[in-house]
Amino acid sequence: MKISLDVFGGDNAPIEILKGAIAAKAEYDIELALCGSTVEMLRVAKDAGLSLEGLELIEAGSVIDMHDEAKAVLRQKADSSMAVALKMVADGKADAVVSAGSTGAFLMGATMIIKRIKGIKRPALGAIMPGTAGPYILVDCGANAEVRPEMLNQFGLMGSVYMKNVLKVNSPKVALANNGAEETKGTDLQRDAYLLLKNNKDVEFCGNVEGRDIPSGEYQVIVADGFSGNLILKTVEGTASFTFGMLKDMFTKNLFSKLGAVLLGSGLRELRQKMDYTEYGGAPLIGLKQPAVKAHGSSNANAIKNAIRQAMQWASSGVTEEIQKAVAGNEDDE
Amino acid sequence: MKISLDVFGGDNAPIEILKGAIAAKAEYDIELALCGSTVEMLRVAKDAGLSLEGLELIEAGSVIDMHDEAKAVLRQKADSSMAVALKMVADGKADAVVSAGSTGAFLMGATMIIKRIKGIKRPALGAIMPGTAGPYILVDCGANAEVRPEMLNQFGLMGSVYMKNVLKVNSPKVALANNGAEETKGTDLQRDAYLLLKNNKDVEFCGNVEGRDIPSGEYQVIVADGFSGNLILKTVEGTASFTFGMLKDMFTKNLFSKLGAVLLGSGLRELRQKMDYTEYGGAPLIGLKQPAVKAHGSSNANAIKNAIRQAMQWASSGVTEEIQKAVAGNEDDE
């Protein structure tokens, strides 16, 4: 099993990506192909006293930066660390790819270079979120701002297959993000998607879910268009960070509260960890012929290590084959 | 100043509504018209040992219940406590109305009975939310699932006038909920609304806001279509409740954590209060000729009291006149 890694993507590249790769190599039975400027990787590793032994270095002449348009990954920067990492997968030289670089470039690059599963209309970005009852996937969380009902139906299928095979959730419950529980809620998009999902024999569709009931994790797959999904994802992040900020103020208020915080010690750390979505790795871009994981732009070494583990589990899970089979089956039905 | 009250709307009606009315009457310089079955109101008050002295009772023969369609408020149940309360405002017998009853019926009833301000295309439901930097209004949060760009522009104006006059925020900052900060983000709806808001001289438009930055309260007016707004509102609620649930588990884990919670005592209560959106009252339905406040369905006496105070402040604020003027001004421009 080999994972290709975009070493120069993300806010903390390349040092945290290298550290994450070294940690993953030490912990998992895995091969890693580090894509980027080899001279630079060796220099950074040397300066930081890191050994790159046992890691494959793949030369890439440029880097996608925040000023680049997404399509740069296909042409002007076809030699970038991201593009090179993607091509390794497309060429069968790696089994999955991980990048913490530009989301737009990664979506476009992965879609055009790795290519979609036959029958899948749009790949979707899934966010794995911590819920009270366990993790859930929010799909799509930003790849497709505008979608058609049949795409939402496929998002439900893909999310379900992913949760079953990668996160080992038995018969994941699928729900459609909506502004009310009744079948008639939402716009035409949701109403039509509701009917398709209800008749989709490959998913356990449980109806609509309101924002209030998303974070509970009662449903393991939340289906949304990329516009709403992105707002949901980031509102969860923003609200959690708002609440933690208030908690912090509370803990540092006076001597009693500081003592209280000390007594809560391990519980606080546990809470923080339970709410840390980077523990689940990155955002899987589902619907492509090979696994592609988008790690958070601000990923540190640990988040990168988790994303590599996730890519590894995904690559050996049979997700792609199961999606392919389900989509082919549905085409036969028509 | 007189507020008409739907005494039989909401999960805790009529008792909590009566208690809220009594508390408001005691605390504010206000007249209240209690709409509903007078026999029932008197009976409930007597059983609970409450005095309705100084409160006006207005007979209403029926109640909108959860099985009724929204339009029932206009015809079959035109004699309901909600419809009667709305009509008092339309007939000039009250200055504002408060109901904790069915949102759908209230939206339809208020729009058809109180009627829109001339030039306003759609009234919008605003949710007043607690933010780190102070409260903000999310508008629309559920009245209009499908909107046109010019409606989003008006939502921005109405939210801005409301925050300025009722919550006394100097030149409120207005932002458009979107899946990215750049001007080109979102769907055609957001891109077109962005341009209208940018050129709207009556609002201080600050561009797009992502879900992550909504709970900070940095922007005092968040503009959204009712579908996205509803998802944002309820996701904030769900995430806050998820976090508090985890906190509770943490506090009751062992003896140390219980002691820690005791030491945090007042801080915890403060935090809870700071995050309690019912402190700001209910959801204002903005864009009508008179103020209409939708209190939360699960409102207790305190939430009702707050909603009454809010209706009172709104009615004496000049919001309606300012919206009217701005809309008329913009019509002249065309």
Side-chain angles (χ1 to χ4, degrees):
Chain A
M1 167 83 62
K2 188 189 285 185
I3 311 290
S4 65
L5 199 57
D6 168 11
V7 174
F8 289 81
D11 307 340
N12 305 313
I15 182 75
E16 292 292 318
I17 318 294
L18 289 176
K19 283 184 184 170
I22 292 165
K25 176 76 188 164
E27 203 164 319
Y28 314 128
D29 178 20
I30 200 177
E31 284 181 81
L32 288 168
L34 274 48
C35 306
S37 155
T38 37
V39 172
E40 185 68 3
M41 286 193 274
L42 290 168
R43 190 190 62 75
V44 170
K46 197 180 162 202
D47 285 357
L50 302 172
S51 158
L52 298 181
E53 207 188 307
L55 299 165
E56 190 179 343
L57 305 190
I58 307 288
E59 177 63 21
S62 70
V63 171
I64 302 277
D65 65 40
M66 53 175 292
H67 304 292
D68 286 318
E69 281 189 276
K71 64 182 179 193
V73 72
L74 301 176
R75 297 192 171 257
Q76 305 101 294
K77 294 207 171 167
D79 65 341
S80 61
S81 53
M82 184 190 280
V84 168
L86 288 166
K87 268 177 228 146
M88 285 200 70
V89 174
D91 296 346
K93 292 178 191 156
D95 302 286
V97 56
V98 171
S99 172
S102 150
T103 306
F106 190 68
L107 290 176
M108 180 166 290
T111 308
M112 303 305 283
I113 296 169
I114 303 184
K115 294 195 169 67
R116 283 172 298 159
I117 292 172
K118 189 170 178 291
I120 288 295
K121 294 176 196 303
R122 295 272 188 90
L125 201 58
I128 318 280
M129 315 276 287
T132 317
Y136 62 94
I137 193 168
L138 175 62
V139 56
D140 181 26
C141 72
N144 312 282
E146 276 164 293
V147 301
R148 295 192 303 273
E150 58 271 29
M151 293 170 190
L152 290 180
N153 186 27
Q154 289 192 338
F155 295 171
L157 166 74
M158 297 194 297
S160 182
V161 172
Y162 187 91
M163 290 305 280
K164 200 161 52 181
N165 291 279
V166 184
L167 276 94
K168 309 296 176 196
V169 174
N170 276 330
S171 51
K173 290 182 182 163
V174 177
L176 179 65
N178 209 330
N179 63 349
E182 303 85 352
E183 194 166 334
T184 54
K185 282 286 180 175
T187 68
D188 285 344
L189 172 65
Q190 282 76 29
R191 283 185 288 270
D192 292 346
Y194 188 104
L195 294 177
L196 292 174
L197 282 161
K198 200 171 134 183
N199 293 316
N200 185 337
K201 62 183 184 336
D202 295 312
V203 302
E204 194 183 326
F205 183 58
C206 301
N208 291 324
V209 60
E210 296 189 76
R212 194 179 291 136
D213 299 317
I214 291 176
S216 73
E218 186 186 338
Y219 306 104
Q220 288 85 30
V221 182
I222 306 291
V223 177
D225 62 273
F227 182 80
S228 310
N230 190 272
L231 280 171
I232 294 169
L233 166 67
K234 289 181 181 161
T235 300
V236 169
E237 285 181 20
T239 308
S241 133
F242 165 65
T243 315
F244 270 105
M246 302 265 260
L247 271 178
K248 211 174 154 186
D249 287 351
M250 181 179 89
F251 287 140
T252 53
K253 217 175 130 193
N254 57 39
L255 202 64
F256 288 116
S257 65
K258 280 180 196 167
L259 183 58
V262 171
L263 288 169
L264 289 168
S266 71
L268 268 180
R269 274 190 301 276
E270 231 171 74
L271 177 62
R272 216 171 243 284
Q273 192 174 10
K274 205 163 174 180
M275 297 191 67
D276 179 9
Y277 53 92
T278 64
E279 282 296 314
Y280 297 111
L285 183 58
I286 327 179
L288 302 176
K289 288 182 177 166
Q290 301 283 344
V293 173
K294 171 66 184 70
H296 206 287
S298 63
S299 290
N300 59 14
N302 191 51
I304 294 295
K305 190 193 78 176
N306 289 330
I308 292 171
R309 185 196 61 219
Q310 178 190 14
M312 197 175 91
Q313 288 168 339
W314 183 3
S316 60
S317 69
V319 163
T320 308
E321 296 71 19
E322 191 172 331
I323 292 174
Q324 206 146 27
K325 212 174 130 187
V327 176
N330 285 337
E331 281 183 335
D332 291 348
D333 288 349
E334 277 160 20
Chain B
M1 168 80 63
K2 188 189 285 186
I3 312 289
S4 65
L5 199 56
D6 169 11
V7 175
F8 289 81
D11 307 340
N12 306 313
I15 182 74
E16 292 293 317
I17 319 293
L18 289 176
K19 283 185 183 169
I22 292 166
K25 176 76 188 164
E27 203 166 317
Y28 314 128
D29 178 20
I30 199 175
E31 285 180 81
L32 288 169
L34 274 47
C35 305
S37 155
T38 38
V39 172
E40 185 68 3
M41 286 192 272
L42 290 167
R43 190 190 61 75
V44 170
K46 198 181 161 202
D47 286 357
L50 302 171
S51 159
L52 299 181
E53 208 188 306
L55 298 165
E56 191 180 340
L57 304 190
I58 308 287
E59 177 63 20
S62 70
V63 170
I64 303 276
D65 65 40
M66 54 174 292
H67 304 292
D68 285 319
E69 281 190 277
K71 65 182 180 194
V73 72
L74 301 175
R75 297 192 173 257
Q76 307 100 292
K77 294 208 172 165
D79 66 340
S80 60
S81 54
M82 184 190 282
V84 169
L86 288 166
K87 269 177 227 144
M88 285 200 70
V89 174
D91 296 345
K93 291 177 191 156
D95 303 287
V97 57
V98 171
S99 172
S102 149
T103 305
F106 190 69
L107 290 176
M108 180 167 289
T111 308
M112 303 305 283
I113 295 168
I114 303 183
K115 294 196 169 67
R116 283 171 298 159
I117 292 172
K118 188 171 177 290
I120 287 293
K121 294 175 197 302
R122 296 271 187 89
L125 201 58
I128 319 281
M129 315 277 287
T132 317
Y136 62 94
I137 193 169
L138 175 62
V139 56
D140 180 27
C141 72
N144 312 282
E146 275 165 293
V147 302
R148 295 192 302 273
E150 57 271 30
M151 294 171 188
L152 289 180
N153 186 27
Q154 289 192 340
F155 295 171
L157 166 74
M158 298 194 296
S160 181
V161 173
Y162 187 91
M163 289 306 279
K164 199 161 54 184
N165 291 278
V166 183
L167 275 94
K168 309 296 178 196
V169 174
N170 277 330
S171 52
K173 290 182 184 164
V174 177
L176 178 64
N178 209 330
N179 62 349
E182 303 84 351
E183 196 166 334
T184 54
K185 282 285 178 174
T187 68
D188 285 345
L189 172 65
Q190 282 76 30
R191 283 186 288 269
D192 291 347
Y194 188 104
L195 294 176
L196 292 173
L197 283 161
K198 200 171 135 182
N199 293 316
N200 186 337
K201 63 186 183 333
D202 294 313
V203 303
E204 195 185 323
F205 183 58
C206 302
N208 291 324
V209 61
E210 295 188 77
R212 195 178 289 136
D213 299 317
I214 292 174
S216 72
E218 185 187 340
Y219 306 104
Q220 288 86 30
V221 182
I222 306 291
V223 176
D225 62 274
F227 181 80
S228 310
N230 190 272
L231 279 172
I232 293 169
L233 166 66
K234 289 180 180 162
T235 300
V236 170
E237 285 180 22
T239 307
S241 138
F242 164 65
T243 315
F244 270 106
M246 302 265 259
L247 271 179
K248 212 174 152 186
D249 287 352
M250 180 178 88
F251 288 139
T252 52
K253 215 174 129 193
N254 57 39
L255 201 65
F256 287 116
S257 65
K258 279 180 195 166
L259 182 59
V262 171
L263 288 168
L264 288 167
S266 71
L268 269 181
R269 276 190 300 277
E270 232 172 73
L271 176 62
R272 216 172 243 285
Q273 193 174 7
K274 204 163 175 181
M275 297 191 65
D276 180 8
Y277 55 93
T278 65
E279 283 297 314
Y280 297 110
L285 182 58
I286 327 178
L288 302 176
K289 288 180 177 167
Q290 300 283 345
V293 173
K294 171 65 185 70
H296 206 284
S298 62
S299 290
N300 59 13
N302 191 52
I304 294 295
K305 191 194 78 177
N306 288 331
I308 291 170
R309 185 196 61 219
Q310 175 190 15
M312 198 176 91
Q313 289 168 339
W314 182 4
S316 60
S317 69
V319 162
T320 309
E321 296 72 16
E322 192 172 330
I323 292 174
Q324 206 146 28
K325 214 174 128 187
V327 176
N330 286 336
E331 281 183 335
D332 291 348
D333 288 348
E334 279 159 20

mmCIF file with all atom_site columns, all heavy atoms in Angstrom, chain B residues 199-215:
data_model
loop_
_atom_site.group_PDB
_atom_site.id
_atom_site.type_symbol
_atom_site.label_atom_id
_atom_site.label_alt_id
_atom_site.label_comp_id
_atom_site.label_asym_id
_atom_site.label_entity_id
_atom_site.label_seq_id
_atom_site.pdbx_PDB_ins_code
_atom_site.Cartn_x
_atom_site.Cartn_y
_atom_site.Cartn_z
_atom_site.occupancy
_atom_site.B_iso_or_equiv
_atom_site.pdbx_formal_charge
_atom_site.auth_seq_id
_atom_site.auth_comp_id
_atom_site.auth_asym_id
_atom_site.auth_atom_id
_atom_site.pdbx_PDB_model_num
ATOM 1   N N   . ASN B 1 199 ? -24.116 47.885 -3.354 1.00 0.00 ? 199 ASN B N   1
ATOM 2   C CA  . ASN B 1 199 ? -24.553 49.188 -3.857 1.00 0.00 ? 199 ASN B CA  1
ATOM 3   C C   . ASN B 1 199 ? -25.694 49.792 -3.046 1.00 0.00 ? 199 ASN B C   1
ATOM 4   O O   . ASN B 1 199 ? -26.250 50.818 -3.426 1.00 0.00 ? 199 ASN B O   1
ATOM 5   C CB  . ASN B 1 199 ? -24.986 49.050 -5.323 1.00 0.00 ? 199 ASN B CB  1
ATOM 6   C CG  . ASN B 1 199 ? -23.801 48.724 -6.200 1.00 0.00 ? 199 ASN B CG  1
ATOM 7   O OD1 . ASN B 1 199 ? -22.731 49.311 -6.055 1.00 0.00 ? 199 ASN B OD1 1
ATOM 8   N ND2 . ASN B 1 199 ? -23.976 47.762 -7.105 1.00 0.00 ? 199 ASN B ND2 1
ATOM 9   N N   . ASN B 1 200 ? -26.079 49.153 -1.966 1.00 0.00 ? 200 ASN B N   1
ATOM 10  C CA  . ASN B 1 200 ? -27.180 49.635 -1.136 1.00 0.00 ? 200 ASN B CA  1
ATOM 11  C C   . ASN B 1 200 ? -26.634 50.648 -0.130 1.00 0.00 ? 200 ASN B C   1
ATOM 12  O O   . ASN B 1 200 ? -25.925 50.289 0.813  1.00 0.00 ? 200 ASN B O   1
ATOM 13  C CB  . ASN B 1 200 ? -27.818 48.434 -0.415 1.00 0.00 ? 200 ASN B CB  1
ATOM 14  C CG  . ASN B 1 200 ? -29.065 48.830 0.355  1.00 0.00 ? 200 ASN B CG  1
ATOM 15  O OD1 . ASN B 1 200 ? -29.234 50.008 0.713  1.00 0.00 ? 200 ASN B OD1 1
ATOM 16  N ND2 . ASN B 1 200 ? -29.929 47.872 0.605  1.00 0.00 ? 200 ASN B ND2 1
ATOM 17  N N   . LYS B 1 201 ? -26.985 51.912 -0.346 1.00 0.00 ? 201 LYS B N   1
ATOM 18  C CA  . LYS B 1 201 ? -26.394 52.969 0.482  1.00 0.00 ? 201 LYS B CA  1
ATOM 19  C C   . LYS B 1 201 ? -26.982 52.988 1.898  1.00 0.00 ? 201 LYS B C   1
ATOM 20  O O   . LYS B 1 201 ? -26.462 53.667 2.787  1.00 0.00 ? 201 LYS B O   1
ATOM 21  C CB  . LYS B 1 201 ? -26.574 54.337 -0.195 1.00 0.00 ? 201 LYS B CB  1
ATOM 22  C CG  . LYS B 1 201 ? -28.039 54.747 -0.368 1.00 0.00 ? 201 LYS B CG  1
ATOM 23  C CD  . LYS B 1 201 ? -28.171 56.029 -1.154 1.00 0.00 ? 201 LYS B CD  1
ATOM 24  C CE  . LYS B 1 201 ? -29.642 56.481 -1.277 1.00 0.00 ? 201 LYS B CE  1
ATOM 25  N NZ  . LYS B 1 201 ? -30.695 55.445 -1.214 1.00 0.00 ? 201 LYS B NZ  1
ATOM 26  N N   . ASP B 1 202 ? -28.054 52.247 2.125  1.00 0.00 ? 202 ASP B N   1
ATOM 27  C CA  . ASP B 1 202 ? -28.686 52.229 3.456  1.00 0.00 ? 202 ASP B CA  1
ATOM 28  C C   . ASP B 1 202 ? -28.113 51.182 4.400  1.00 0.00 ? 202 ASP B C   1
ATOM 29  O O   . ASP B 1 202 ? -28.539 51.085 5.544  1.00 0.00 ? 202 ASP B O   1
ATOM 30  C CB  . ASP B 1 202 ? -30.198 51.996 3.313  1.00 0.00 ? 202 ASP B CB  1
ATOM 31  C CG  . ASP B 1 202 ? -30.865 53.168 2.605  1.00 0.00 ? 202 ASP B CG  1
ATOM 32  O OD1 . ASP B 1 202 ? -30.577 54.311 2.983  1.00 0.00 ? 202 ASP B OD1 1
ATOM 33  O OD2 . ASP B 1 202 ? -31.648 52.928 1.669  1.00 0.00 ? 202 ASP B OD2 1
ATOM 34  N N   . VAL B 1 203 ? -27.190 50.356 3.909  1.00 0.00 ? 203 VAL B N   1
ATOM 35  C CA  . VAL B 1 203 ? -26.592 49.355 4.801  1.00 0.00 ? 203 VAL B CA  1
ATOM 36  C C   . VAL B 1 203 ? -25.076 49.416 4.726  1.00 0.00 ? 203 VAL B C   1
ATOM 37  O O   . VAL B 1 203 ? -24.511 49.820 3.707  1.00 0.00 ? 203 VAL B O   1
ATOM 38  C CB  . VAL B 1 203 ? -27.046 47.901 4.468  1.00 0.00 ? 203 VAL B CB  1
ATOM 39  C CG1 . VAL B 1 203 ? -28.548 47.770 4.519  1.00 0.00 ? 203 VAL B CG1 1
ATOM 40  C CG2 . VAL B 1 203 ? -26.512 47.449 3.120  1.00 0.00 ? 203 VAL B CG2 1
ATOM 41  N N   . GLU B 1 204 ? -24.435 49.023 5.829  1.00 0.00 ? 204 GLU B N   1
ATOM 42  C CA  . GLU B 1 204 ? -22.977 48.941 5.837  1.00 0.00 ? 204 GLU B CA  1
ATOM 43  C C   . GLU B 1 204 ? -22.591 47.511 5.499  1.00 0.00 ? 204 GLU B C   1
ATOM 44  O O   . GLU B 1 204 ? -22.397 46.673 6.383  1.00 0.00 ? 204 GLU B O   1
ATOM 45  C CB  . GLU B 1 204 ? -22.451 49.348 7.216  1.00 0.00 ? 204 GLU B CB  1
ATOM 46  C CG  . GLU B 1 204 ? -20.961 49.624 7.174  1.00 0.00 ? 204 GLU B CG  1
ATOM 47  C CD  . GLU B 1 204 ? -20.398 49.920 8.551  1.00 0.00 ? 204 GLU B CD  1
ATOM 48  O OE1 . GLU B 1 204 ? -21.101 50.572 9.350  1.00 0.00 ? 204 GLU B OE1 1
ATOM 49  O OE2 . GLU B 1 204 ? -19.269 49.475 8.819  1.00 0.00 ? 204 GLU B OE2 1
ATOM 50  N N   . PHE B 1 205 ? -22.511 47.235 4.195  1.00 0.00 ? 205 PHE B N   1
ATOM 51  C CA  . PHE B 1 205 ? -22.258 45.864 3.758  1.00 0.00 ? 205 PHE B CA  1
ATOM 52  C C   . PHE B 1 205 ? -20.764 45.544 3.821  1.00 0.00 ? 205 PHE B C   1
ATOM 53  O O   . PHE B 1 205 ? -19.938 46.299 3.310  1.00 0.00 ? 205 PHE B O   1
ATOM 54  C CB  . PHE B 1 205 ? -22.787 45.665 2.338  1.00 0.00 ? 205 PHE B CB  1
ATOM 55  C CG  . PHE B 1 205 ? -22.636 44.262 1.827  1.00 0.00 ? 205 PHE B CG  1
ATOM 56  C CD1 . PHE B 1 205 ? -23.210 43.198 2.516  1.00 0.00 ? 205 PHE B CD1 1
ATOM 57  C CD2 . PHE B 1 205 ? -21.911 43.995 0.667  1.00 0.00 ? 205 PHE B CD2 1
ATOM 58  C CE1 . PHE B 1 205 ? -23.081 41.892 2.058  1.00 0.00 ? 205 PHE B CE1 1
ATOM 59  C CE2 . PHE B 1 205 ? -21.777 42.689 0.200  1.00 0.00 ? 205 PHE B CE2 1
ATOM 60  C CZ  . PHE B 1 205 ? -22.356 41.640 0.891  1.00 0.00 ? 205 PHE B CZ  1
ATOM 61  N N   . CYS B 1 206 ? -20.441 44.416 4.457  1.00 0.00 ? 206 CYS B N   1
ATOM 62  C CA  . CYS B 1 206 ? -19.029 44.045 4.665  1.00 0.00 ? 206 CYS B CA  1
ATOM 63  C C   . CYS B 1 206 ? -18.633 42.816 3.871  1.00 0.00 ? 206 CYS B C   1
ATOM 64  O O   . CYS B 1 206 ? -17.583 42.227 4.115  1.00 0.00 ? 206 CYS B O   1
ATOM 65  C CB  . CYS B 1 206 ? -18.778 43.795 6.138  1.00 0.00 ? 206 CYS B CB  1
ATOM 66  S SG  . CYS B 1 206 ? -19.160 45.217 7.162  1.00 0.00 ? 206 CYS B SG  1
ATOM 67  N N   . GLY B 1 207 ? -19.478 42.360 2.945  1.00 0.00 ? 207 GLY B N   1
ATOM 68  C CA  . GLY B 1 207 ? -19.110 41.203 2.118  1.00 0.00 ? 207 GLY B CA  1
ATOM 69  C C   . GLY B 1 207 ? -19.678 39.895 2.630  1.00 0.00 ? 207 GLY B C   1
ATOM 70  O O   . GLY B 1 207 ? -20.625 39.873 3.415  1.00 0.00 ? 207 GLY B O   1
ATOM 71  N N   . ASN B 1 208 ? -19.085 38.802 2.164  1.00 0.00 ? 208 ASN B N   1
ATOM 72  C CA  . ASN B 1 208 ? -19.551 37.468 2.529  1.00 0.00 ? 208 ASN B CA  1
ATOM 73  C C   . ASN B 1 208 ? -19.019 37.044 3.890  1.00 0.00 ? 208 ASN B C   1
ATOM 74  O O   . ASN B 1 208 ? -17.948 37.474 4.302  1.00 0.00 ? 208 ASN B O   1
ATOM 75  C CB  . ASN B 1 208 ? -19.089 36.452 1.488  1.00 0.00 ? 208 ASN B CB  1
ATOM 76  C CG  . ASN B 1 208 ? -19.797 36.633 0.159  1.00 0.00 ? 208 ASN B CG  1
ATOM 77  O OD1 . ASN B 1 208 ? -20.977 36.978 0.125  1.00 0.00 ? 208 ASN B OD1 1
ATOM 78  N ND2 . ASN B 1 208 ? -19.088 36.419 -0.942 1.00 0.00 ? 208 ASN B ND2 1
ATOM 79  N N   . VAL B 1 209 ? -19.785 36.190 4.560  1.00 0.00 ? 209 VAL B N   1
ATOM 80  C CA  . VAL B 1 209 ? -19.308 35.611 5.816  1.00 0.00 ? 209 VAL B CA  1
ATOM 81  C C   . VAL B 1 209 ? -19.495 34.098 5.740  1.00 0.00 ? 209 VAL B C   1
ATOM 82  O O   . VAL B 1 209 ? -20.522 33.615 5.263  1.00 0.00 ? 209 VAL B O   1
ATOM 83  C CB  . VAL B 1 209 ? -20.040 36.212 7.044  1.00 0.00 ? 209 VAL B CB  1
ATOM 84  C CG1 . VAL B 1 209 ? -21.543 35.952 6.991  1.00 0.00 ? 209 VAL B CG1 1
ATOM 85  C CG2 . VAL B 1 209 ? -19.483 35.655 8.346  1.00 0.00 ? 209 VAL B CG2 1
ATOM 86  N N   . GLU B 1 210 ? -18.483 33.353 6.186  1.00 0.00 ? 210 GLU B N   1
ATOM 87  C CA  . GLU B 1 210 ? -18.593 31.902 6.235  1.00 0.00 ? 210 GLU B CA  1
ATOM 88  C C   . GLU B 1 210 ? -19.198 31.486 7.569  1.00 0.00 ? 210 GLU B C   1
ATOM 89  O O   . GLU B 1 210 ? -19.145 32.237 8.546  1.00 0.00 ? 210 GLU B O   1
ATOM 90  C CB  . GLU B 1 210 ? -17.209 31.275 6.087  1.00 0.00 ? 210 GLU B CB  1
ATOM 91  C CG  . GLU B 1 210 ? -16.591 31.548 4.728  1.00 0.00 ? 210 GLU B CG  1
ATOM 92  C CD  . GLU B 1 210 ? -15.311 30.754 4.545  1.00 0.00 ? 210 GLU B CD  1
ATOM 93  O OE1 . GLU B 1 210 ? -15.403 29.538 4.286  1.00 0.00 ? 210 GLU B OE1 1
ATOM 94  O OE2 . GLU B 1 210 ? -14.229 31.337 4.668  1.00 0.00 ? 210 GLU B OE2 1
ATOM 95  N N   . GLY B 1 211 ? -19.744 30.279 7.609  1.00 0.00 ? 211 GLY B N   1
ATOM 96  C CA  . GLY B 1 211 ? -20.379 29.771 8.827  1.00 0.00 ? 211 GLY B CA  1
ATOM 97  C C   . GLY B 1 211 ? -19.489 29.900 10.055 1.00 0.00 ? 211 GLY B C   1
ATOM 98  O O   . GLY B 1 211 ? -19.956 30.210 11.150 1.00 0.00 ? 211 GLY B O   1
ATOM 99  N N   . ARG B 1 212 ? -18.192 29.695 9.839  1.00 0.00 ? 212 ARG B N   1
ATOM 100 C CA  . ARG B 1 212 ? -17.228 29.727 10.939 1.00 0.00 ? 212 ARG B CA  1
ATOM 101 C C   . ARG B 1 212 ? -17.234 31.068 11.672 1.00 0.00 ? 212 ARG B C   1
ATOM 102 O O   . ARG B 1 212 ? -17.010 31.140 12.870 1.00 0.00 ? 212 ARG B O   1
ATOM 103 C CB  . ARG B 1 212 ? -15.844 29.483 10.340 1.00 0.00 ? 212 ARG B CB  1
ATOM 104 C CG  . ARG B 1 212 ? -14.777 29.136 11.310 1.00 0.00 ? 212 ARG B CG  1
ATOM 105 C CD  . ARG B 1 212 ? -13.491 28.875 10.550 1.00 0.00 ? 212 ARG B CD  1
ATOM 106 N NE  . ARG B 1 212 ? -13.556 27.634 9.793  1.00 0.00 ? 212 ARG B NE  1
ATOM 107 C CZ  . ARG B 1 212 ? -13.126 27.483 8.536  1.00 0.00 ? 212 ARG B CZ  1
ATOM 108 N NH1 . ARG B 1 212 ? -12.619 28.501 7.886  1.00 0.00 ? 212 ARG B NH1 1
ATOM 109 N NH2 . ARG B 1 212 ? -13.226 26.317 7.938  1.00 0.00 ? 212 ARG B NH2 1
ATOM 110 N N   . ASP B 1 213 ? -17.479 32.154 10.939 1.00 0.00 ? 213 ASP B N   1
ATOM 111 C CA  . ASP B 1 213 ? -17.383 33.491 11.532 1.00 0.00 ? 213 ASP B CA  1
ATOM 112 C C   . ASP B 1 213 ? -18.730 34.082 11.917 1.00 0.00 ? 213 ASP B C   1
ATOM 113 O O   . ASP B 1 213 ? -18.808 35.221 12.354 1.00 0.00 ? 213 ASP B O   1
ATOM 114 C CB  . ASP B 1 213 ? -16.642 34.422 10.566 1.00 0.00 ? 213 ASP B CB  1
ATOM 115 C CG  . ASP B 1 213 ? -15.234 33.917 10.297 1.00 0.00 ? 213 ASP B CG  1
ATOM 116 O OD1 . ASP B 1 213 ? -14.574 33.503 11.272 1.00 0.00 ? 213 ASP B OD1 1
ATOM 117 O OD2 . ASP B 1 213 ? -14.814 33.902 9.131  1.00 0.00 ? 213 ASP B OD2 1
ATOM 118 N N   . ILE B 1 214 ? -19.802 33.312 11.750 1.00 0.00 ? 214 ILE B N   1
ATOM 119 C CA  . ILE B 1 214 ? -21.116 33.826 12.131 1.00 0.00 ? 214 ILE B CA  1
ATOM 120 C C   . ILE B 1 214 ? -21.262 33.956 13.652 1.00 0.00 ? 214 ILE B C   1
ATOM 121 O O   . ILE B 1 214 ? -21.642 35.014 14.139 1.00 0.00 ? 214 ILE B O   1
ATOM 122 C CB  . ILE B 1 214 ? -22.255 32.963 11.510 1.00 0.00 ? 214 ILE B CB  1
ATOM 123 C CG1 . ILE B 1 214 ? -22.267 33.161 9.980  1.00 0.00 ? 214 ILE B CG1 1
ATOM 124 C CG2 . ILE B 1 214 ? -23.603 33.316 12.122 1.00 0.00 ? 214 ILE B CG2 1
ATOM 125 C CD1 . ILE B 1 214 ? -23.248 32.273 9.235  1.00 0.00 ? 214 ILE B CD1 1
ATOM 126 N N   . PRO B 1 215 ? -20.926 32.903 14.435 1.00 0.00 ? 215 PRO B N   1
ATOM 127 C CA  . PRO B 1 215 ? -21.192 32.990 15.886 1.00 0.00 ? 215 PRO B CA  1
ATOM 128 C C   . PRO B 1 215 ? -20.350 34.023 16.624 1.00 0.00 ? 215 PRO B C   1
ATOM 129 O O   . PRO B 1 215 ? -20.613 34.295 17.786 1.00 0.00 ? 215 PRO B O   1
ATOM 130 C CB  . PRO B 1 215 ? -20.866 31.574 16.398 1.00 0.00 ? 215 PRO B CB  1
ATOM 131 C CG  . PRO B 1 215 ? -20.924 30.694 15.195 1.00 0.00 ? 215 PRO B CG  1
ATOM 132 C CD  . PRO B 1 215 ? -20.444 31.560 14.066 1.00 0.00 ? 215 PRO B CD  1
#
